[in-house]
């Protein structure tokens, strides 16, 4: 059985980060170890959330794991709880990443704005983590912050390719922009692989509403797909299709949540699709 470790927060209510990564990766048949970066009462889109930083726990966890001789097939980092945790995530890669696929979701911003609690020193330091990853999966806001370029809502394909080239100039081999849309009603992901100098794209019909936490569902599914042996395109397809299905399940429920999607009800879809692709 393949094993992954994911480093991100626990938002006790909110359906994002570890509370989606853990069930999704487990359902995909991947043993999932976790490094919680912080415990929050809710994700940061609620007012008045509590925040307990777990930076001090990370080194003791890594030291114990080294003594135990654990290793992993994948390492996936998401929302980090402090500036110092960026170096700790680099340590995680250095100590356990030898044969692992290393995926960084530089969770820090959306819709042109940083999430509460993040600042420019954090953004700039995040470039160091992107430099030692195999694959990064930012949205366009995060990419703009990483590259110090203005966030654009209107763009064309050559602009997205230019952004992807600049992202791989940070040192990572593959950059994937999520939530890319060139025409109304279509949304998807656009990847650039520096080694093969090739692009991979996948687009879907856009659901009529956007929700929080879908970036984490996308990144978890994509990473799980790669660990299960899917190609880059297959993993991108699976992630885009599962997010779409999760939004669909949410919207057909009367009085649905507004803070996260019904990814749980879309799990049969995820598993069917994973096994179809894995057997091809
Ligand atoms: O979905 C990304 C994310 C993860 N963790 C926390 C967040 C967010 C987005 O706002 O607030 C705590």
């Amino acid at each position: 059985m393949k094993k992954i470790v994911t480093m991100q927060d626990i938002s006790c209510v909110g359906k994002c980060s570890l509370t989606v990564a853990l069930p999704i990766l487990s359902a995909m048949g991947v043993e999932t170890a976790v490094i919680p970066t912080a415990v929050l009462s809710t994700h940061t889109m609620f007012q008045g959330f509590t925040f307990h930083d777990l930076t001090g726990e990370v080194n003791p966890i890594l030291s114990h794991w080294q003594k135990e001789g654990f290793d992993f097939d994948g390492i996936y980092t998401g929302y980090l709880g402090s500036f110092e945790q960026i170096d700790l995530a680099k340590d995680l890669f250095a100590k356990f990443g030898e044969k692992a696929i290393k995926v960084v979701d530089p969770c820090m911003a959306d819709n042109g704005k940083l999430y509460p609690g993040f600042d420019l020193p954090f953004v700039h330091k995040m470039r160091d983590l992107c430099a030692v990853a195999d694959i990064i999966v930012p949205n366009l806001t995060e990419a703009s912050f990483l590259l110090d370029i203005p966030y654009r809502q209107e763009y064309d394909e050559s602009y997205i390719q230019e952004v992807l080239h600049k992202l791989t100039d940070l040192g990572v081999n593959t950059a994937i922009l999520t939530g890319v849309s060139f025409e109304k009603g279509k949304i998807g992901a656009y990847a650039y692989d520096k080694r093969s100098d090739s692009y991979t794209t996948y687009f879907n019909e856009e659901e009529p509403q956007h929700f929080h936490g879908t970036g984490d569902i996308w990144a978890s599914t994509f990473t799980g797909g790669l660990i299960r042996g899917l190609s880059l395109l297959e993993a991108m397809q699976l992630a885009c299709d599962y997010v779409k299905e999760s939004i669909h399940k949410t919207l057909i429920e009367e009085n649905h949540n507004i803070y996260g999607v019904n990814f749980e009800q879309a799990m049969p879809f995820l598993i069917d699709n994973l096994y179809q692709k894995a057997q091809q």
Side-chain angles (χ1 to χ4, degrees):
M1 191 173 183
K2 299 282 186 184
K3 279 179 285 176
I4 191 169
V5 52
T6 183
M7 177 173 178
Q8 44 189 320
D9 72 281
I10 297 184
S11 289
C12 299
V13 170
K15 301 215 264 190
C16 67
S17 39
L18 278 185
T19 64
V20 304
L22 186 52
I24 288 171
L25 287 161
S26 302
M28 293 177 80
V30 180
E31 179 180 334
T32 306
V34 300
I35 301 183
T37 57
V39 178
L40 294 84
S41 51
T42 63
H43 64 49
T44 58
M45 299 297 116
F46 286 89
Q47 296 291 313
F49 60 88
T50 68
F51 184 99
H52 181 74
D53 176 18
L54 294 173
T55 302
E57 294 299 313
V58 180
N59 253 332
I61 291 172
L62 297 187
S63 303
H64 181 210
W65 287 3
Q66 274 193 303
K67 283 198 194 104
E68 296 290 340
F70 294 153
D71 60 8
F72 300 99
D73 304 290
I75 305 177
Y76 152 40
T77 68
Y79 182 104
L80 301 179
S82 68
F83 183 84
E84 295 74 31
Q85 285 185 15
I86 299 176
D87 276 336
L88 293 168
K90 285 171 67 188
D91 280 354
L92 173 66
F93 284 179
K95 290 175 175 150
F96 297 93
E98 206 190 345
K99 66 174 179 91
I101 299 175
K102 297 179 277 292
V103 178
V104 169
D105 185 357
C107 277
M108 55 191 177
D110 205 1
N111 301 314
K113 284 198 299 251
L114 287 175
Y115 296 141
F118 292 110
D119 56 15
L120 289 181
F122 182 93
V123 169
H124 296 151
K125 180 104 180 137
M126 184 55 93
R127 293 177 190 156
D128 297 352
L129 186 59
C130 294
V132 292
D134 297 311
I135 304 180
I136 60 171
V137 296
N139 59 40
L140 197 52
T141 303
E142 288 155 346
S144 307
F145 275 106
L146 282 170
L147 298 173
D148 250 337
I149 56 176
Y151 169 66
R152 281 173 57 170
Q153 278 172 300
E154 308 270 311
Y155 48 78
D156 59 13
E157 195 159 353
S158 69
Y159 178 74
I160 291 299
Q161 294 186 349
E162 185 189 321
V163 170
L164 287 165
H165 277 259
K166 286 186 179 149
L167 287 170
T168 57
D169 287 344
L170 295 174
V172 65
N173 182 58
T174 307
I176 309 180
L177 282 169
T178 57
V180 173
S181 177
F182 298 123
E183 53 176 308
K184 214 171 170 322
K186 290 261 160 97
I187 192 159
Y190 206 117
Y192 175 63
D193 179 285
K194 187 165 54 176
R195 220 166 285 136
S196 60
D197 191 26
S198 60
Y199 298 102
T200 304
T201 63
Y202 184 69
F203 289 88
N204 261 336
E205 301 293 313
E206 187 170 5
E207 290 289 331
Q209 218 173 308
H210 284 208
F211 285 90
H212 215 69
T214 50
D216 299 341
I217 294 172
W218 197 95
S220 305
T221 310
F222 168 76
T223 308
L226 287 185
I227 302 292
R228 289 298 313 268
L230 303 192
S231 68
L232 187 73
L233 174 61
E234 289 169 332
M236 287 167 63
Q237 284 173 334
L238 186 66
C240 291
D241 292 349
Y242 180 47
V243 166
K244 180 173 167 35
E245 183 66 13
S246 299
I247 298 174
H248 176 71
K249 289 286 188 204
T250 315
L251 292 177
I252 58 177
E253 186 185 14
E254 239 179 282
N255 303 319
H256 58 74
N257 281 333
I258 50 158
Y259 56 75
V261 294
N262 293 14
F263 72 100
E264 304 90 337
Q265 292 174 317
M267 274 196 174
F269 173 96
L270 169 66
I271 292 164
D272 282 353
N273 277 261
L274 169 67
Y275 281 89
Q276 272 169 30
K277 289 188 196 316
Q279 277 158 19
Q280 270 167 24

